[in-house]
Amino acid sequence: MSTKIFRDPIHGFIEVDPLELKIINSPPFQRLRNIRQLGTSYLVYHGAEHTRFGHSLGVMYLVSKAFDSVVNNYYDLNGRKLFDKSTHQLYKQLLRTTALIHDIGHLPFSHAGDKIFAKNLTHEYFTKRILFETELANILQESGDMSPDLIWLIYGGKEDTTSKNKTYKHPDFKLLRSFINSDLDCDKMDYLLRDSHHCGVNYGNYDVNRLLDSLNVYRKNDTMQLAIERGGLQAFEEFVMARYFMYVQVYFHRTRRYLDKLLSSLMKEIYGGPIAEDYSIAQYLNRNDGVVLKEIQTLSENKNLDAINFLSRNIMRCVYETPTQPVAADKDIFNIIYNSVRYVFPNDTFVLDSADKRATEMPAIETYNGEDGKGIPVLTNHSPDPRDLLSESNLLGRLSQPISIRRIYADQRKAKDIEDFIHDLQKNKRGQE
């Protein structure tokens, strides 16, 4: 089978087979060349011009390595194969294909536009529609082994209750989904390395090869869970720390957060309000970053103030923010300050921003529970049962707390007045204690 090679700045050469190349050459996938991975971050880190196109190839590359590593390590540990040869090949292709299309439903500027979805909608919903309603469906059906239904059973994470998909097996598909969406998934593995590289920072670097080499499966009765061998614990700690630092320093950067708010407001106007379930897929796919920027330019020419400020990068200044992981006292202080500012200054001179990542998302470090599948089992040579991650790692306990940054931004003309007001407020409070 002939292959094509893509040269990637993170992983080197990435090979794709004819089916994957058809998907890559399709218009829905080519659109990802013009969807920035990090939204407005390129206005903060000028190198952050990379796109969902390269990221999707990177996840496909890593998921192959991760899957092979798990299969090989399981055999070495247990002396028997996890899957037979044909099943191995099918599952690997399913994972690679799922990895390719996992971000195909993103709006322009990626997550920066997520707030314009109607309530309870996400980009995953439109990924499903694109998967089933465009030429991607025909490409997959013609391949023989692949289908939109099978891909969605992995990506969507729902069991095959209808029994229409005879290839679906429990617990195999739940395990497969872990490679795409879990604490150890290849999506996170790629975007940390890629985002760090293009932003010119070191926060997202970690030993990806050691982490991949330490992946395994813990199998008990009717369950299979993606696990990590104890020898790879430090690589996982490094991975979690990288994710934490990237959220604090890059993804939740104060300037990027403000620009995202401006962009979200503009996109809501461009799209005519919240995007609902029945939004046209053709229209959805017709927009990318370049199209939206042209529409913002038109708004600017029509004297839209947000558009003028966005294009000129005229931003409000952050005049106060809480600690990254605030305790109750920090939250109380913020509420006093914010309510005082609201009472004294006009509403159009300041804005509030809340940058949150729940403990179950950033990073999802939970106590291992084999019954409900939560947490990450750590495999050891001296025990048939896995150890709990938090009992093995003293480093990760604090990171189980959520990131919850509150910020107040002020108009440049009023920023100094509001800053001085907040300073005096804190000084008076300290004097009363």
Side-chain angles (χ1 to χ4, degrees):
M1 182 181 293
S2 61
T3 59
K4 180 178 174 60
I5 295 175
F6 287 82
R7 184 187 289 271
D8 185 73
I10 307 303
H11 306 300
F13 293 118
I14 297 178
E15 293 186 356
V16 300
D17 65 25
L19 169 62
E20 293 158 358
L21 187 59
K22 284 183 180 180
I23 294 172
I24 291 168
N25 286 336
S26 69
F29 195 88
Q30 287 293 311
R31 170 179 171 269
L32 297 182
R33 289 185 182 273
N34 296 298
I35 305 290
R36 286 181 178 86
Q37 172 81 3
L38 290 185
T40 62
S41 291
Y42 73 102
L43 296 172
V44 180
Y45 301 95
H46 66 265
E49 296 277 1
H50 58 303
T51 67
R52 292 279 161 179
F53 183 94
H55 168 61
S56 298
L57 290 174
V59 179
M60 181 192 69
Y61 171 83
L62 286 178
V63 86
S64 284
K65 295 191 69 174
F67 185 69
D68 286 344
S69 180
V70 163
V71 170
N72 292 336
N73 288 339
Y74 183 85
Y75 180 82
D76 291 342
L77 184 64
N78 298 281
R80 62 181 185 275
K81 292 182 179 180
L82 185 61
F83 307 115
D84 60 46
K85 185 176 180 180
S86 62
T87 302
H88 179 135
Q89 292 174 339
L90 172 63
Y91 285 177
K92 186 174 180 179
Q93 184 64 73
L94 271 171
L95 281 175
R96 286 176 62 90
T97 307
T98 304
L100 261 188
I101 63 92
H102 83 283
D103 273 348
I104 211 160
H106 267 295
L107 282 168
F109 293 95
S110 295
H111 292 294
D114 283 353
K115 289 187 178 180
I116 72 168
F117 286 122
K119 188 176 181 179
N120 298 326
L121 281 189
T122 65
H123 73 87
E124 286 88 359
Y125 169 79
F126 287 94
T127 294
K128 182 178 183 180
R129 286 191 59 192
I130 293 167
L131 180 63
F132 282 85
E133 297 177 28
T134 69
E135 54 264 62
L136 288 178
N138 293 331
I139 292 172
L140 292 171
Q141 295 288 6
E142 292 169 358
S143 70
D145 292 328
M146 300 295 107
S147 72
D149 298 278
L150 282 179
I151 299 301
W152 193 251
L153 284 172
I154 296 175
Y155 186 67
K158 294 181 180 179
E159 294 187 36
D160 181 17
T161 56
T162 64
S163 298
K164 292 180 180 179
N165 295 290
K166 301 301 182 183
T167 312
Y168 181 90
K169 294 179 181 178
H170 177 80
D172 295 11
F173 272 46
K174 283 192 172 182
L175 173 66
L176 295 181
R177 187 170 190 260
S178 300
F179 290 89
I180 305 296
N181 186 6
S182 72
D183 300 344
L184 280 169
D185 70 49
C186 297
D187 180 28
K188 298 178 184 68
M189 290 185 194
D190 181 82
Y191 75 60
L192 288 175
L193 296 173
R194 193 170 301 275
D195 295 349
S196 179
H197 171 81
H198 287 284
C199 288
V201 301
N202 290 321
Y203 306 118
N205 291 327
Y206 63 96
D207 192 345
V208 63
N209 291 321
R210 183 69 183 96
L211 183 60
L212 290 172
D213 287 344
S214 66
L215 296 180
N216 209 318
V217 167
Y218 176 62
R219 188 166 197 163
K220 184 177 181 181
N221 300 329
D222 194 31
T223 64
M224 285 198 293
Q225 287 181 264
L226 193 60
I228 188 167
E229 296 174 351
R230 194 173 189 278
L233 182 59
Q234 282 69 45
F236 180 72
E237 288 176 332
E238 191 179 28
F239 170 68
V240 172
M241 292 295 291
R243 192 171 177 222
Y244 175 84
F245 287 131
M246 284 295 284
Y247 267 94
V248 172
Q249 297 293 334
V250 177
Y251 306 142
F252 287 168
H253 189 284
R254 59 174 65 91
T255 304
R256 181 253 171 98
R257 291 284 303 182
Y258 179 75
L259 288 165
D260 279 1
K261 289 177 77 71
L262 272 183
L263 180 62
S264 179
S265 174
L266 289 165
M267 287 181 65
K268 185 172 291 187
E269 186 165 349
I270 287 168
Y271 279 82
I275 297 176
E277 291 183 6
D278 59 351
Y279 195 87
S280 164
I281 284 298
Q283 290 182 332
Y284 193 92
L285 291 173
N286 191 49
R287 281 195 173 98
N288 56 35
D289 289 12
V291 172
V292 168
L293 283 174
K294 287 181 180 178
E295 292 171 305
I296 292 175
Q297 180 64 48
T298 299
L299 290 174
S300 173
E301 292 167 359
N302 292 327
K303 310 304 181 185
N304 181 293
L305 186 58
D306 282 348
I308 293 170
N309 287 335
F310 182 81
L311 293 176
S312 62
R313 203 178 173 279
N314 180 26
I315 61 175
M316 286 187 170
R317 194 164 88 211
C318 180
V319 293
Y320 186 80
E321 67 177 293
T322 65
T324 302
Q325 294 172 306
V327 297
D330 298 317
K331 296 175 183 177
D332 290 342
I333 292 170
F334 178 82
N335 289 333
I336 292 171
I337 290 173
Y338 178 62
N339 288 327
S340 299
V341 169
R342 287 177 61 193
Y343 183 75
V344 174
F345 295 92
N347 288 338
D348 61 354
T349 61
F350 65 92
V351 296
L352 170 69
D353 179 55
S354 300
D356 297 293
K357 204 69 177 174
R358 297 192 306 273
T360 53
E361 295 176 343
M362 175 53 246
I365 305 170
E366 300 180 86
T367 301
Y368 169 67
N369 186 325
E371 298 299 322
D372 58 19
K374 291 184 178 180
I376 299 174
V378 179
L379 306 184
T380 65
N381 292 328
H382 51 76
S383 173
D385 297 317
R387 296 275 292 168
D388 176 59
L389 177 67
L390 292 181
S391 67
E392 288 293 307
S393 172
N394 294 324
L395 181 63
L396 299 181
R398 174 62 179 165
L399 295 186
S400 63
Q401 301 301 312
I403 294 175
S404 184
I405 307 171
R406 299 290 182 272
R407 293 186 176 116
I408 300 173
Y409 294 86
D411 184 281
Q412 293 287 355
R413 293 167 296 180
K414 283 287 185 181
K416 184 65 167 59
D417 292 340
I418 296 178
E419 221 165 26
D420 289 344
F421 174 79
I422 292 173
H423 177 77
D424 290 342
L425 197 66
Q426 292 176 294
K427 186 177 179 181
N428 291 335
K429 186 178 185 304
R430 284 195 296 268
Q432 295 170 3
E433 292 176 349

